[in-house]
């Protein structure tokens, strides 16, 4: 998306300025429930959340996970809620 491309350009400027490091795109995370991995309907694969960007914020001293959204969907909201329940918050930009 245009929003994701613009954010990628911004983040690359922050890398060059030293504000962030270890910038990665399309990072995949397994979704976990109380009883273990959340499986697909057939049970053959673990469901995943794919973050648009993951990087280390030098000022905050921690890893940041971002999702660039022009329009949010019920599915993306649910996946972010599962990630938050796993202790991994996702920021929307």
């Amino acid at each position: 998306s245009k929003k994701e491309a613009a954010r990628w350009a911004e983040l690359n400027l922050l890398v060059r300025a030293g504000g962030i490091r270890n910038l990665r795109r399309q990072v995949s995370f397994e979704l976990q429930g109380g009883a273990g991995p959340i499986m697909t309907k057939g049970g053959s694969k673990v469901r995943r959340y794919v973050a648009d960007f993951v990087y280390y914020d030098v000022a905050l001293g921690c890893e940041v996970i971002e999702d660039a959204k022009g329009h949010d969907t019920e599915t993306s909201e649910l996946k972010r809620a599962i990630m938050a329940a796993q202790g991994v918050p996702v920021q929307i930009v």
Side-chain angles (χ1 to χ4, degrees):
S1 73
K2 289 181 183 181
K3 187 168 189 167
E4 189 175 332
R7 183 61 178 156
W8 177 249
E10 289 173 5
L11 291 172
N12 275 293
L13 289 174
L14 288 171
V15 167
R16 283 186 233 126
I20 66 172
R21 62 178 185 246
N22 197 24
L23 175 61
R24 297 170 284 150
R25 292 179 79 177
Q26 303 299 307
V27 179
S28 180
F29 296 86
E30 285 188 1
L31 295 176
Q32 299 285 322
I38 299 173
M39 305 303 286
T40 57
K41 194 171 189 176
S44 61
K45 293 182 181 179
V46 176
R47 291 190 186 267
R48 306 187 79 74
Y49 165 74
V50 179
D52 290 328
F53 311 109
V54 177
Y55 56 87
Y56 183 83
D57 187 306
V58 175
L60 295 175
C62 66
E63 187 172 72
V64 175
I65 301 168
E66 284 189 359
D67 208 0
K69 287 282 179 209
H71 173 72
D72 212 1
T73 66
E74 191 173 322
T75 300
S76 62
E77 287 178 13
L78 177 61
K79 287 183 176 184
R80 283 195 315 277
I82 293 169
M83 290 286 288
Q86 290 176 209
V88 185
V90 177
Q91 294 183 5
I92 302 296
V93 291

